[in-house]
Amino acid sequence: MKKSIYTKLSMRERQILDVILNKKEATVLEVLNNIPNPPSYSAVRALINIMEKKGYIKHRKVGSKYVYS
């Protein structure tokens, strides 16, 4: 990932992106369980949706879950 894009992210967005990149893909719950002092599930989901709209991550549906990469 380009460093210039990474520096545009908030601290929490960087933490989320780090989890997804380290795991190759992750659900919201996996992200929530792997960031320090996590906010609520809803807050993580909202941030992930914002990051997806910005084009930093994408998702695929597996059963009833969304998996982000």
Side-chain angles (χ1 to χ4, degrees):
M1 173 157 286
K2 289 183 178 179
K3 191 169 187 144
S4 62
I5 292 172
Y6 199 77
T7 58
K8 293 179 184 179
L9 301 175
S10 70
M11 179 194 72
R12 195 60 86 183
E13 288 174 326
R14 285 192 307 270
Q15 289 174 331
I16 291 168
L17 189 58
D18 283 343
V19 171
I20 293 170
L21 290 175
N22 287 333
K23 293 181 138 312
K24 306 290 188 236
E25 57 184 22
T27 64
V28 174
L29 187 57
E30 290 173 324
V31 169
L32 188 67
N33 290 330
N34 285 283
I35 58 176
N37 302 314
S40 68
Y41 180 92
S42 298
V44 171
R45 186 173 166 94
L47 281 168
I48 286 175
N49 286 334
I50 291 168
M51 292 173 68
E52 188 170 19
K53 287 179 184 175
K54 289 179 180 179
Y56 297 133
I57 58 177
K58 59 184 178 178
H59 80 273
R60 64 185 175 89
K61 192 168 183 180
V62 177
S64 62
K65 297 180 182 181
Y66 286 101
V67 179
Y68 298 90
S69 58

